[in-house]
Amino acid sequence: MVDSRFSILSEEFAAAPDRYFAWLREHSPVHYEPAIDSYFLSRYRDVKQVLTDHEAFTTETLQVRAEPVMRGPVLAQMTGAEHTAKRKIVVRGFTGQALQNQVRAIRANATELVAPFLPRGRMDLVNDFGKPFAVRVTLEVLGLDKKGWRQVTDWLGGVGEFITSITLTDERRRHCMDRARQLETYLVPIIEQRRRHPGKDLISALCTAEFDGIAMSTRDVTALIINVLVAAVEPADKALGLLFKHLIDHPEQLAQVRRDPTLLPAAIAETLRFTPPVQLVPRQAEQDAVFAGTVVPAGATVFCVIGAANRDPEAFTAPDTFDIHRPDLGTARSFTAAAQHLAFGTGLHQCVGAAFARAEIETVAALLLPLLDRVRYSPGFRYRETGLYTRGPASLSLDFTPVHERVAGHG
Ligand code: 2IO
């Protein structure tokens, strides 16, 4: 039984949030945390309502939670005609022909990064592969120099920490702001140069695109590039690691995906439902609102607990079971506005990178699965997850048949 003084900020919750999801939904569906004066909603219908009703629950909280490190207003903060026009510009940069080209960059980077590990038969999927992969692909997609990926990783660490921390000391806050300013100083001259001499890359496209007479300023583009960098990097290694963890833990489903790679989108969608890499989505209540008989006062910060909503038995049958064949997920819809799971949020501000995320994880998994023959946890490996806001495996050390041995064996 969970104590009524239970806190989402406690070490117990951080160790295994999913153990508390049922209790939260049933006994504290509007969970107030006095230390941060915020409300946590965990029921599927309440979370869905908050994200859908963008006038009653605004994204104004991003002014303090994101804008300082984004160095400008992000898309998710905008509303009305400005939001519609700029969202179209961004969507165009991550779908259709642009996405086709991005898939080529995804495949090339994955092939290059996995190569040195194949003869060894061991790789940490999160730290050896996922993290450097996500940064390098994103830099390439943006037309930025991949050679600087370690530097960019360091700057992004500060930006990510600022956005995903529930509380920050003054010292950490200064550190994050410092990294964000350095990233801005690196980006602004590049953006100004592309504005003068546009190329075929995404930054040039963002600088020159226009909808209904609305275009992006350099400050908009800077914030958007930092937003794209952190949003494409922070959850990517987590989604990939979680997909492999669930498949390794469910060998019969892994065998099915190996036999029939067209099941991969279902496996990815179920991974996102079961363990969404982005666990919290913040909003601000515009007026008093009542959920499950509890008042959320006007002006309050509300956190949607995506992981708990995605495991609500009112939304999914046997929600605590990982099942790529579940009929109530609707794989085809899972990466669109009609998604049943809430891993990409929902409503007006639903993730603009959902199609990119799907293409990225699907391409990489389809490439890795045949290379990682007999994939399993390395001996002595202990699985551990970290993070409250974004959450995923701290590492995922995998053993597989070394590639030279396999070739010799077959020859
Ligand atoms: C600053 C948490 C990394 C996003 C926000 C507007 C970021 C926005 C998200 C995800 C992942 C981040 N929110 N992506 O939850 O762009």
Side-chain angles (χ1 to χ4, degrees):
M1 200 41 232
V2 184
D3 195 279
S4 60
R5 285 162 305 176
F6 164 79
S7 171
I8 285 184
L9 311 176
S10 66
E11 276 174 36
E12 296 91 300
F13 185 80
D18 54 342
R19 264 195 249 148
Y20 300 92
F21 287 164
W23 182 87
L24 280 172
R25 284 189 312 261
E26 282 158 35
H27 300 287
S28 196
V30 187
H31 188 84
Y32 181 63
E33 286 292 345
I36 52 168
D37 190 20
S38 301
Y39 295 79
F40 288 76
L41 299 184
S42 48
R43 290 184 177 171
Y44 183 89
R45 56 183 311 226
D46 295 344
V47 168
K48 184 133 187 166
Q49 190 193 323
V50 165
L51 296 177
T52 307
D53 193 345
H54 59 263
E55 283 179 358
F57 299 93
T58 71
T59 52
E60 233 170 277
T61 172
L62 294 176
Q63 259 168 47
V64 290
R65 291 205 61 92
E67 193 171 332
V69 283
M70 295 292 172
R71 314 307 297 148
V74 295
L75 195 60
Q77 279 170 264
M78 299 173 187
T79 53
E82 183 193 19
H83 176 259
T84 309
K86 291 181 180 172
R87 186 172 164 110
K88 278 186 194 161
I89 296 172
V90 180
V91 166
R92 209 196 312 180
F94 286 101
T95 51
Q97 189 53 52
L99 184 59
Q100 293 309 308
N101 298 339
Q102 288 156 6
V103 167
R104 258 179 268 132
I106 289 164
R107 208 172 280 130
N109 280 278
T111 306
E112 187 188 329
L113 264 167
V114 74
F117 297 97
L118 294 178
R120 297 181 207 166
R122 176 171 295 176
M123 179 170 79
D124 176 348
L125 186 65
V126 171
N127 298 294
D128 291 337
F129 183 87
K131 289 185 183 203
F133 165 77
V135 176
R136 290 159 65 144
V137 162
T138 311
L139 288 174
E140 183 164 338
V141 160
L142 292 173
L144 296 171
D145 190 354
K146 272 199 295 179
K147 284 207 291 287
W149 73 275
R150 283 178 198 278
Q151 176 64 263
V152 174
T153 303
D154 181 49
W155 292 332
L156 282 182
V159 177
E161 179 182 339
F162 186 95
I163 293 167
T164 64
S165 292
I166 305 293
T167 54
L168 266 183
T169 63
D170 288 347
E171 202 274 314
R172 289 317 292 169
R173 197 190 152 83
R174 269 196 301 276
H175 166 90
C176 293
M177 288 301 297
D178 199 46
R179 295 299 181 272
R181 281 194 206 97
Q182 288 167 352
L183 180 55
E184 178 188 27
T185 303
Y186 165 71
L187 288 174
V188 167
I190 297 173
I191 295 168
E192 281 167 349
Q193 196 266 337
R194 304 256 168 107
R195 196 180 277 293
R196 286 192 300 270
H197 308 284
K200 286 194 180 317
D201 60 287
L202 182 64
I203 294 180
S204 302
L206 295 173
C207 288
T208 51
E210 227 182 81
F211 263 104
D212 302 328
I214 299 177
M216 300 231 191
S217 64
T218 294
R219 193 157 162 264
D220 285 343
V221 176
T222 303
L224 190 64
I225 297 304
I226 298 179
N227 189 172
V228 166
L229 278 166
V230 67
V233 164
E234 177 72 26
D237 62 288
K238 298 171 178 67
L240 185 67
L242 290 163
L243 170 69
F244 272 77
K245 178 212 163 20
H246 299 324
L247 290 177
I248 290 168
D249 290 346
H250 300 84
E252 67 302 335
Q253 297 185 51
L254 172 58
Q256 288 163 355
V257 173
R258 279 191 187 284
R259 267 198 307 276
D260 179 7
T262 66
L263 289 172
L264 260 178
I268 296 165
E270 176 65 347
T271 296
L272 294 175
R273 181 199 69 84
F274 193 58
T275 49
V278 180
Q279 293 259 320
L280 298 174
V281 173
R283 288 292 185 266
Q284 188 169 304
E286 195 54 31
Q287 64 237 4
D288 288 5
V290 181
F291 294 97
T294 303
V295 177
V296 171
T301 298
V302 175
F303 282 99
C304 297
V305 187
I306 303 297
N310 275 354
R311 296 224 197 169
D312 191 331
E314 303 233 324
F316 296 101
T317 32
D320 293 318
T321 305
F322 177 84
D323 177 11
I324 66 172
H325 303 294
R326 62 168 52 253
D328 49 5
L329 188 61
T331 302
R333 287 179 290 163
S334 288
F335 306 91
T336 74
Q340 295 302 295
H341 70 82
L342 302 172
F344 293 122
T346 190
L348 192 67
H349 298 295
Q350 191 184 28
C351 179
V352 278
F356 176 82
R358 175 198 163 153
E360 179 176 61
I361 304 301
E362 192 179 338
T363 303
V364 172
L367 190 137
L368 289 184
L369 278 174
L371 293 172
L372 307 184
D373 178 51
R374 294 210 320 118
V375 67
R376 58 206 181 266
Y377 299 125
S378 303
F381 171 71
R382 219 184 119 261
Y383 183 78
R384 191 172 62 85
E385 288 181 2
T386 54
L388 264 192
Y389 198 113
T390 53
R391 185 173 182 86
S395 67
L396 200 71
S397 183
L398 303 178
D399 278 20
F400 50 89
T401 314
V403 166
H404 57 88
E405 274 178 36
R406 201 185 320 158
V407 172
H410 282 254

